[in-house]
Amino acid sequence: MKNRYSLPLELFPRICPYTHILISVLVFLFTGGHVFAQGFNIKTLQNANTKSATGISFGPDGRVYVTQQDGLILAYKVSRAEGATPETATYEATSTELINLVKNKPNHDDDGKLSTATDANNKRQVTGILVTGTAAKPVLYVSSSDPRIGGPSSGDKNLDTNSGTISRLTWIHTAPPSETDFSTLNDEDLWEKVDIVRGLPRSEENHATNNMRLTTINNRKYIFICVGGLTNAGSPSRNFAKITEYALSAAVLSIDLTAIEAMPIRGTAPNQYVYDIPTLDDPTRPNIPNPDYDAAVPGSPQTIDENDPFGGNDGLNQAKIVPGGPVQVYSPGFRNAYDLVITKDRRMYVTDNGANPGWGGFPENEGTANVTNNYWNPAEPGTNADSTLNGKYVNNQDHLHLVTGAGTIDDYTPGSYYGGHPNPVRANPAGAGLYTHFGANNSNDGAFRTSKDDPQYPLPADWPPLPVGMANVVEGDYLDPGDEDGAVTVWQKNCNAIDEYTASNLEGAYQGNLLAGSSSKGGTLFRLQLNPDGSKKALDQEFAKITDGGYILGIVCQGDSDPYAGTIWVASYNGGVQILEPTDYDGTVTPPCNGEDSPDLDEDQDGYSNADEIDAETDPCSGVSFPNDFDKDYISDLNDTDDDNDGVEDHLDVFQRGKTNGLDEAVGTTYELFNDQFGFYNLGFTGMMNNLKPEDNYLNWLDVENPDNPDQDDIYGGAAGVITVKMTAGDALGTLNTQEKGFQFGLNVDKNSFPFTAESMMIAPFKTLTGEESQGAFIGNGDQDNYIKVVLDAAGISVVVENNGTPTATPYPLPAKPTTNFGILFYVDPAAGTVQPKYILDEGEATNLGTPITLTGKLLEVVQQPGKALAFGMIGTSKGSAAPFFA
């Protein structure tokens, strides 16, 4: 792609400061032979210090309530600049109330006992909020769970898998929020917190009780809540600490709020509660009389396990489905449904996160009535294209479901719509059994419990956790998103929040459309225009780019009668709170946009020329659609020859997104992979192994979001702390210099630095490598001619030293194929100028690969000379194979 900009960078026009974007957006609709301009301005909520936002809701008191992942709730009183035009208007949080009542809720371990773990203290994972009530007495419903996150790198953290809770916070202060000075009062003076439902499932990873909606059906109030699955694709797997699905997991649940409100409040503040879901009779815990026994409540047990309902104990104490109880499965089969919306025409739509390649496969006897919960195959078949099951494998597509079909929530039969994610215990209650995993996450030790009478590993005496007659056989079948599951549409890159635009602004062009938030391209809103029957898409397109948005986890669309009518409020994990305001907010209409391909025009006034936006395939007539621009110089990364503005052109820069070229990071610095600060996709990698060719653009080596092949996309993220990368045919070896996805970061070392070890780890499942395929790690000077790599390959392990483009490979035998993980280590002694490669197989001891390598040439320079950073990263290739593979 040619660079359109030959003028000095300082002469390129700046339209507005980045941190307070006031961008006009023009979206053209051609209707009835005339053209009219429509669009939004995007603004940041100023003076709002939200971190890791997970949800947003407007209150009847006019405040904006935002949740953080750690459990803190922030209530912002907001003002819009008086008399401002849509182009100049600003939004500011003029006061902030910090609500800690949910954050301070105590946590338990998975045996039900109060936890003393440091990462469980003074926080809860909050992922859902809805606000109702009145201006004088707002009421908050908040979903929370254990804050700990396990998975492939941290294993089973003993978090409470029954920790899902819905809390109700009711305003009790004599004065309404609008007249209250929050600085002089405690939370307990302002709010009454009552946990109205306790004992909902919580994954060993981060899937939990997510967002909620409140509505009335046949004069009864219901809360509908998304409850995440506990597995990747229905079977226990390493990346989910080998837990099974529970009776109430992987589903949209209905909470009969009318029934809950008729029950007494129990306990004392701040730990008051209403309804504990009955749990299984855990064979490892003593029984005690139930102090809350109530014959009028369906399923209320006369005896309970000690510490109930806390501590799911990997399923032995999971909550049960109680016929007639207030908590029921409304729609099953969702891997990690994060949000749902009930539209004005009473239809329910649900977003769901598709399964990740490499994170776990399908259950035993998938697709049959005999499906089980057994950890039946360490290869975890179905987890990727290399280990299919029944010709299927997980395809990593997020999807949108219309739960209510051709009808509405008023005539929908609960449980009749299946989203495609298996839950063996609901499909086969009589025969699914329960797998219990022992020991470290990487071991295959465990017991498959199939009998209540087993003397060593019995099932609970009241197994299964739902009546056998409620078996729903379809829940044993994995349905491919977008291919088999009947999804309305599929999206890539973690699509979560959703809401309906109901305002009549912009001549009604967006009325009835759904807006969904994705992590695509740093944070994107998708616009979905539905056919009249609601079952298929009429228009599915990228609608807006949310600057530095990352994961968009909350959306609120304000209607005609709401405060700030027609605006769209977005809460994102990385970008705080932003507002999209329609350009006719004050009744004015903006002039039309022609979208001419010209470097001299910027018709949407977002700082990027029409020509630049057309090159980057963003909308030159839409200020909420703009190119990726790492250094914020208003030249897209595609056309900018120096994306990090460090004075080194990208084709010569080995840290293309490292403003100090790796010199900020010294040995001994704590440097997180997921740092939310810099690097590709908010990872800590700031460069790509570079071939130094002017004709090549490093952007072409990144993951490509391909709607036609979404199952080939990389996965940059996941709470478990890993990334899954598709190895392509490119290779740095010798004169090829075609390596792609050689992610790297820099370390500031010289001959006076202490010796250190650079260590990386790959996790199962491992592909059986053939031909020239390989995967591993490297150190070097950052280009594709000077490096040392240690890789797994068809021969076992290979150490390759390449100096000035000349490689020397030394093979070493691999005692056994890794079953859980494989570590690669480089012991670097800068003063001596040597590197000792090592490996760790599974959980064994570090083993040297040959003798220390004496560095020469550019490899020695980068270790000993000041001012040059040592590159450390990952490398792999599928060269010579039929198709790329995931590593």
Side-chain angles (χ1 to χ4, degrees):
M1 178 62 66
K2 64 181 179 296
N3 190 317
R4 295 178 180 268
Y5 305 105
S6 57
L7 294 176
L9 185 63
E10 61 269 17
L11 297 182
F12 188 78
R14 299 299 202 276
I15 303 302
C16 59
Y18 168 73
T19 54
H20 299 296
I21 301 175
L22 302 176
I23 304 173
S24 68
V25 126
L26 303 173
V27 176
F28 282 87
L29 302 177
F30 295 83
T31 306
H34 73 282
V35 180
F36 51 94
Q38 319 226 24
F40 293 82
N41 301 312
I42 184 169
K43 309 163 189 299
T44 297
L45 180 60
Q46 299 177 25
N47 200 32
N49 297 316
T50 306
K51 298 178 181 179
S52 304
T54 58
I56 186 170
S57 184
F58 247 97
D61 54 348
R63 295 194 293 173
V64 178
Y65 291 82
V66 180
T67 57
Q68 294 187 167
Q69 185 180 6
D70 64 0
L72 180 65
I73 305 167
L74 303 100
Y76 295 121
K77 184 178 180 180
V78 176
S79 71
R80 181 183 185 274
E82 187 174 349
T85 66
E87 290 77 18
T88 63
T90 58
Y91 287 77
E92 181 181 4
T94 56
S95 71
T96 305
E97 180 190 2
L98 306 180
I99 306 170
N100 288 283
L101 288 172
V102 176
K103 184 175 184 287
N104 292 338
K105 179 177 166 60
N107 291 291
H108 300 76
D109 290 331
D110 212 25
D111 60 2
K113 296 177 182 177
L114 281 171
S115 180
T116 59
T118 56
D119 55 353
N121 290 337
N122 299 317
K123 58 183 176 180
R124 292 276 288 178
Q125 177 172 290
V126 169
T127 45
I129 184 171
L130 65 87
V131 186
T132 182
T134 65
K137 191 174 183 178
V139 178
L140 285 58
Y141 293 94
V142 182
S143 66
S144 71
S145 63
D146 195 303
R148 290 169 283 184
I149 298 174
S153 58
S154 52
D156 188 335
K157 301 196 73 173
N158 199 28
L159 62 85
D160 181 3
T161 55
N162 275 6
S163 59
T165 301
I166 301 176
S167 301
R168 180 183 66 211
L169 279 63
T170 305
W171 184 265
I172 57 174
H173 191 50
T174 53
S178 60
E179 300 174 9
T180 300
D181 180 1
F182 305 107
S183 64
T184 62
L185 297 166
N186 297 320
D187 285 346
E188 292 80 4
D189 301 320
L190 304 171
W191 301 91
E192 178 191 53
K193 181 185 76 71
V194 178
D195 297 333
I196 62 170
V197 176
R198 304 192 301 189
L200 293 166
R202 166 66 159 86
S203 166
E204 295 277 11
E205 203 239 8
N206 68 345
H207 298 179
T209 47
N210 295 322
N211 221 350
M212 302 166 283
R213 300 284 171 159
L214 173 66
T215 194
T216 300
I217 303 175
N218 296 326
N219 296 318
R220 295 187 72 84
K221 292 187 293 185
Y222 290 90
I223 289 176
F224 294 100
I225 184 168
C226 300
V227 176
L230 310 190
T231 69
N232 187 54
S235 178
S237 67
R238 295 180 189 88
N239 282 24
F240 284 83
K242 296 182 181 171
I243 197 170
T244 71
E245 295 292 351
Y246 286 7
L248 289 171
S249 66
V252 174
L253 304 181
S254 62
I255 312 294
D256 188 336
L257 192 58
T258 299
I260 295 290
E261 290 176 343
M263 297 178 185
I265 296 175
R266 309 175 190 276
T268 58
N271 297 315
Q272 297 179 106
Y273 63 97
V274 175
Y275 179 67
D276 287 343
I277 307 174
T279 68
L280 290 171
D281 185 2
D282 188 340
T284 69
R285 295 191 202 177
N287 288 343
I288 60 173
N290 181 9
D292 299 330
Y293 172 68
D294 187 343
V297 176
S300 181
Q302 296 190 37
T303 62
I304 59 174
D305 293 318
E306 193 173 51
N307 300 316
D308 268 354
F310 305 111
N313 201 10
D314 289 336
L316 292 173
N317 195 52
Q318 66 183 270
K320 300 191 288 187
I321 297 177
V322 178
V327 180
Q328 298 294 326
V329 173
Y330 189 74
S331 181
F334 298 100
R335 177 182 175 271
N336 187 34
Y338 192 85
D339 201 1
L340 72 158
V341 62
I342 299 171
T343 62
K344 289 290 186 182
D345 57 9
R346 306 282 285 172
R347 292 169 175 153
M348 179 185 286
Y349 293 86
V350 178
T351 60
D352 192 21
N353 295 162
N356 293 340
W359 283 49
F362 305 146
E364 182 182 42
N365 302 327
E366 182 268 338
T368 74
N370 298 316
V371 64
T372 81
N373 277 318
N374 189 22
Y375 184 63
W376 62 288
N377 189 335
E380 301 182 4
T383 193
N384 54 41
D386 301 309
S387 58
T388 63
L389 183 66
N390 300 327
K392 295 188 291 188
Y393 63 95
V394 297
N395 65 9
N396 189 33
Q397 296 190 89
D398 285 12
H399 34 196
L400 178 71
H401 291 265
L402 172 57
V403 168
T404 47
T408 69
I409 57 174
D410 301 298
D411 52 31
Y412 170 79
T413 301
S416 61
Y417 183 87
Y418 172 56
H421 177 86
N423 186 317
V425 76
R426 289 200 298 258
N428 180 23
L434 181 69
Y435 179 78
T436 304
H437 176 241
F438 307 133
N441 190 46
N442 54 19
S443 76
N444 290 323
D445 296 332
F448 181 41
R449 301 171 187 260
T450 59
S451 170
K452 302 175 187 178
D453 301 320
D454 187 297
Q456 189 173 10
Y457 301 117
L459 288 168
D462 53 349
W463 183 268
L466 69 157
V468 172
M470 292 182 70
N472 187 17
V473 176
V474 70
E475 294 193 60
D477 189 15
Y478 176 86
L479 303 179
D480 289 322
D483 297 328
E484 300 178 314
D485 66 349
V488 174
T489 191
V490 295
W491 292 301
Q492 285 74 57
K493 300 299 178 192
N494 209 279
C495 213
N496 293 296
I498 190 169
D499 201 13
E500 180 187 21
Y501 192 86
T502 62
S504 58
N505 293 75
L506 306 171
E507 301 189 19
Y510 294 89
Q511 204 163 31
N513 289 191
L514 299 180
L515 300 179
S518 167
S519 63
S520 174
K521 299 180 180 177
T524 298
L525 285 182
F526 285 98
R527 176 192 179 193
L528 187 68
Q529 190 176 56
L530 303 167
N531 287 332
D533 64 1
S535 60
K536 293 182 179 179
K537 61 184 179 181
L539 175 68
D540 185 4
Q541 63 180 194
E542 292 184 12
F543 162 63
K545 174 78 174 289
I546 303 301
T547 308
D548 288 344
Y551 295 92
I552 298 174
L553 300 179
I555 300 174
V556 175
C557 298
Q558 294 296 87
D560 287 338
S561 59
D562 294 328
Y564 310 111
T567 57
I568 303 165
W569 296 67
V570 176
S572 53
Y573 193 81
N574 308 105
V577 177
Q578 291 177 296
I579 305 102
L580 281 68
E581 183 183 88
T583 52
D584 65 351
Y585 185 84
D586 60 357
T588 61
V589 178
T590 53
C593 170
N594 296 316
E596 180 183 346
D597 188 353
S598 169
D600 300 319
L601 291 177
D602 176 20
E603 291 184 276
D604 57 10
Q605 300 180 43
D606 62 3
Y608 300 91
S609 77
N610 283 19
D612 198 9
E613 293 213 53
I614 290 169
D615 285 349
E617 299 182 351
T618 58
D619 190 345
C621 294
S622 170
V624 290
S625 174
F626 49 87
N628 290 325
D629 178 15
F630 178 73
D631 59 4
K632 314 307 179 193
D633 62 358
Y634 297 98
I635 305 175
S636 71
D637 289 341
L638 182 67
N639 284 320
D640 193 347
T641 58
D642 183 8
D643 284 346
D644 57 9
N645 204 22
D646 64 355
V648 181
E649 292 195 353
D650 291 335
H651 78 280
L652 298 174
D653 198 345
V654 299
F655 303 108
Q656 298 93 343
R657 295 192 179 182
K659 295 181 180 180
T660 63
N661 289 317
L663 297 179
D664 273 352
E665 308 304 330
V667 173
T669 301
T670 299
Y671 187 60
E672 300 291 343
L673 175 62
F674 302 113
N675 54 63
D676 298 330
Q677 300 294 324
F678 51 85
F680 299 99
Y681 307 108
N682 288 319
L683 305 176
F685 294 111
T686 57
M688 301 284 284
M689 195 184 215
N690 204 336
N691 62 15
L692 309 182
K693 296 177 181 178
E695 65 271 20
D696 284 343
N697 190 330
Y698 76 96
L699 296 173
N700 296 327
W701 306 332
L702 291 169
D703 171 42
V704 177
E705 296 173 19
N706 185 349
D708 297 324
N709 293 290
D711 54 328
Q712 294 300 303
D713 284 350
D714 298 344
I715 304 169
Y716 299 126
V722 299
I723 61 178
T724 304
V725 179
K726 179 186 65 177
M727 295 289 96
T728 64
D731 197 343
L733 193 68
T735 59
L736 288 175
N737 291 345
T738 56
Q739 181 67 47
E740 298 177 339
K741 301 179 184 177
F743 288 98
Q744 60 192 11
F745 65 92
L747 287 171
N748 189 355
V749 299
D750 59 36
K751 64 181 179 181
N752 295 315
S753 299
F754 289 108
F756 63 92
T757 298
E759 179 178 358
S760 69
M761 179 180 288
M762 298 179 289
I763 62 171
F766 289 90
K767 181 185 185 298
T768 298
L769 300 171
T770 61
E772 297 175 90
E773 295 174 331
S774 67
Q775 62 183 79
F778 73 92
I779 60 172
N781 75 340
D783 68 25
Q784 298 192 24
D785 283 331
N786 298 275
Y787 60 87
I788 300 172
K789 71 176 181 180
V790 176
V791 294
L792 293 175
D793 57 18
I797 309 173
S798 289
V799 177
V800 178
V801 181
E802 184 166 330
N803 273 302
N804 290 323
T806 301
T808 301
T810 306
Y812 294 90
L814 182 65
K817 182 180 178 180
T819 58
T820 57
N821 54 63
F822 186 80
I824 295 173
L825 299 81
F826 300 92
Y827 177 76
V828 182
D829 187 337
T834 60
V835 173
Q836 173 65 68
K838 307 180 183 183
Y839 75 91
I840 298 176
L841 179 62
D842 296 326
E843 295 302 301
E845 297 295 324
T847 300
N848 288 343
L849 291 164
T851 58
I853 299 168
T854 299
L855 303 177
T856 60
K858 293 181 179 179
L859 286 175
L860 181 61
E861 289 178 7
V862 81
V863 168
Q864 291 192 336
Q865 290 186 10
K868 294 185 178 182
L870 174 70
F872 177 39
M874 61 186 189
I875 193 168
T877 182
S878 62
K879 185 176 63 176
S881 60
F885 69 91
F886 283 101

